[in-house]
């Protein structure tokens, strides 16, 4: 799939019409989308966030237009936005783009602003359109963005395979004596080398840090006996994101750890098995929580089961108690239960897509605990290093 073709399938021309219809249905007179994932979703333009205003206006009725600073015009025209017959209006350095925009939207009484628009722009739009109430564009776009097209699922699958290839290399980097930071740097390089445009996060949480779900990476030195939670992801050139967690052990893990890891693996599988159209998001959360709770670890599963993923790593739908939203084919989200009793912890995370009759996992690398030989010589179990140091990159699984 060439970038060009991918861009066209991923960002089809009918998105603009669908966004306008969704705006009308949500009671918004226009969507105003500054650079970010809403703008990219609607017209495929991965625009720079600048203090100069770039804004796509999608009126519920009437023609959409894209305001861009003149110096950004070639980039806008080269993007998928340039191939869909969209009116692209460049503005010059001496013009006020907010006045240009207000001149074309004078009758709007409710506008939906991109959720992550800078306050700088929110306030200037309020001044330029003083009669227009400001709401969130997600009121219109949430449903559209949550249900992925076949091309979007293919892009997420490609991202999942790329991050799986990074995880396949992780055992080779987890050696006693290295710091979490050093491992995270290897991972970030590999995330890009395996096809991502950016490495967005590389959580390497070892030993007691593994008990903190959003620990990132520190100067802690890896030791034999550590469990290590590795949660990594990035954004592909397509715009679609990866996010996958595996837990590793350096040498023999603590006895209790092996016990709850088995519980966790069962819970993650049960939640995946619960996914099908019509099942509520909270029922999937419950399917992950029930086996963990009945094994006595419920108090240590301290976060929701998952989050939607697409052009952003965290987006709708959220897999959490209280979300009664029924799943539909095309919903893509993480299933990532964790158990964090301290002084260690574990998490297993896959991205899944709800299909017509069940669930497809987009991460397929083994979820078994990978036990990395405690070689390296600087840890207490350095003497366990295998002769000659030859270790398969997959490590040993238990
Ligand atoms: Zn998270
Ligand atoms: Zn993650
Ligand atoms: Zn996640």
């Amino acid at each position: 799939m060439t970038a060009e073709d991918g861009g066209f399938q991923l960002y089809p021309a009918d998105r603009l019409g669908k966004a306008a219809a969704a705006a009308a249905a949500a009671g918004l007179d226009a969507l105003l989308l500054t650079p970010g994932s809403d703008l990219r979703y609607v017209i495929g333009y991965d625009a720079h966030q600048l203090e100069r205003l770039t804004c796509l206006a999608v009126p519920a009725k009437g023609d959409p237009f894209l305001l861009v600073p003149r110096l950004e015009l070639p980039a806008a025209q080269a993007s998928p936005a340039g191939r869909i017959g969209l009116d692209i209006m460049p503005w010059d350095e001496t013009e006020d783009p907010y006045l240009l925009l207000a001149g074309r939207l004078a009758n709007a009484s409710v506008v939906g602003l991109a959720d992550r628009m800078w306050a700088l722009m929110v306030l200037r739009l309020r001044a330029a359109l003083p009669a227009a109430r400001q709401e969130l564009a997600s009121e219109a776009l949430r449903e559209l963005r949550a249900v992925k097209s076949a091309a979007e699922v293919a892009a997420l699958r490609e991202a999942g395979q790329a991050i799986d290839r990074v995880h396949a290399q992780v055992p080779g980097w987890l050696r006693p004596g290295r710091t979490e930071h050093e491992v995270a740097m290897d991972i970030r390089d590999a995330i890009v080398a395996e096809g991502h445009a950016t490495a967005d996060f590389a959580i390497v949480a070892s030993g007691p840090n593994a008990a903190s779900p959003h620990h990132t990476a520190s100067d802690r030195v890896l030791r034999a006996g550590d469990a290590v939670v590795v949660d990594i992801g990035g954004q592909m050139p397509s715009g679609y994101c990866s996010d996958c967690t595996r837990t590793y052990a350096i040498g023999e893990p603590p006895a209790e750890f092996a016990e709850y890891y088995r519980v966790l693996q069962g819970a993650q599988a049960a939640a995946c098995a619960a996914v099908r159209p019509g099942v509520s998001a909270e029922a999937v959360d419950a399917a992950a929580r029930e086996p963990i709770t009945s094994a006595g670890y419920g108090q240590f599963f301290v976060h929701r089961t998952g989050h939607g993923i697409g052009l952003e790593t965290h987006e709708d739908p959220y897999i959490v108690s209280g979300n009664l939203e029924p799943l539909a084919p095309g919903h893509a989200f993480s299933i990532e239960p964790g158990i964090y009793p301290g002084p260690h912890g574990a998490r297993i995370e896959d991205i899944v897509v709800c299909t017509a009759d069940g669930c497809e996992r987009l991460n397929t690398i083994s979820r078994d605990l990978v036990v990395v030989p405690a070689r390296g010589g600087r840890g207490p179990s350095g003497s366990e290093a295998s002769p000659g140091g030859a270790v398969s990159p997959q490590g040993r699984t238990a």
Side-chain angles (χ1 to χ4, degrees), residues 322-345:
N323 185 0
L324 301 173
E325 184 181 4
L327 296 178
H331 276 151
F333 49 89
S334 69
I335 293 188
E336 51 177 311
I339 300 177
Y340 315 96
H344 36 72

Side-chain angles (χ1 to χ4, degrees), residues 231 243 307 313-314 334 336 349:
D231 184 354
D243 183 7
H307 52 81
T313 310
H314 288 192
S334 69
E336 51 177 311
E349 173 179 27

Side-chain angles (χ1 to χ4, degrees), residues 54-249:
T54 289
C55 186
L56 173 69
V58 186
K61 292 192 191 70
D63 291 329
F65 59 95
L66 176 65
L67 265 176
V68 295
R70 186 170 296 282
L71 77 169
E72 300 291 321
L73 183 61
Q77 286 169 331
S79 80
R83 300 196 293 266
I84 57 177
L86 175 65
D87 178 9
I88 303 181
M89 292 172 56
W91 58 271
D92 291 302
E93 297 282 48
T94 54
E95 291 181 291
D96 180 341
Y98 295 89
L99 287 181
L100 293 176
L101 190 132
R104 288 188 59 163
L105 293 173
N107 296 324
S109 57
V110 192
V111 292
L113 308 185
D115 287 27
R116 299 187 182 205
M117 184 182 288
W118 287 355
L120 173 76
M121 289 150 187
V122 174
L123 296 184
R124 292 186 71 175
L125 284 169
R126 179 175 294 170
L129 292 164
R133 191 171 81 241
Q134 295 181 334
E135 301 281 353
L136 292 176
S138 58
E139 287 173 29
L141 296 178
R142 181 191 292 121
E143 293 289 321
L144 281 177
R145 282 187 50 186
V147 176
K148 271 64 182 179
S149 68
E152 290 180 280
V153 171
L156 285 168
R157 195 180 289 118
E158 187 181 41
Q161 289 167 354
I163 207 70
D164 280 1
R165 292 194 297 273
V166 179
H167 266 298
Q169 300 167 65
V170 166
W173 298 319
L174 292 175
R175 288 196 302 276
R178 303 193 78 209
T179 67
E180 293 175 351
H181 271 313
E182 288 169 336
V183 176
M185 273 156 56
D186 288 337
I187 289 171
R188 284 180 176 275
D189 288 347
I191 288 173
V192 173
E194 294 295 347
H196 293 82
T198 55
D200 293 344
F201 56 96
I203 295 177
V204 178
S206 67
N209 295 336
S212 165
H214 268 180
H215 174 80
T216 53
S218 73
D219 291 324
R220 184 181 181 276
V221 175
L222 304 181
R223 301 201 315 220
D226 281 350
V228 188
V229 172
V230 176
D231 184 354
I232 57 180
Q235 188 174 37
M236 298 289 281
S238 64
Y240 286 78
C241 295
S242 66
D243 183 7
C244 182
T245 308
R246 292 292 181 263
T247 299
Y248 300 86

Side-chain angles (χ1 to χ4, degrees), residues 348-369:
I348 301 172
E349 173 179 27
D350 288 323
I351 302 305
V352 306
V353 179
C354 182
T355 63
D357 55 2
C359 158
E360 178 189 349
R361 297 196 202 217
L362 303 186
N363 299 103
T364 55
I365 190 166
S366 172
R367 296 159 203 93
D368 292 342
L369 180 65

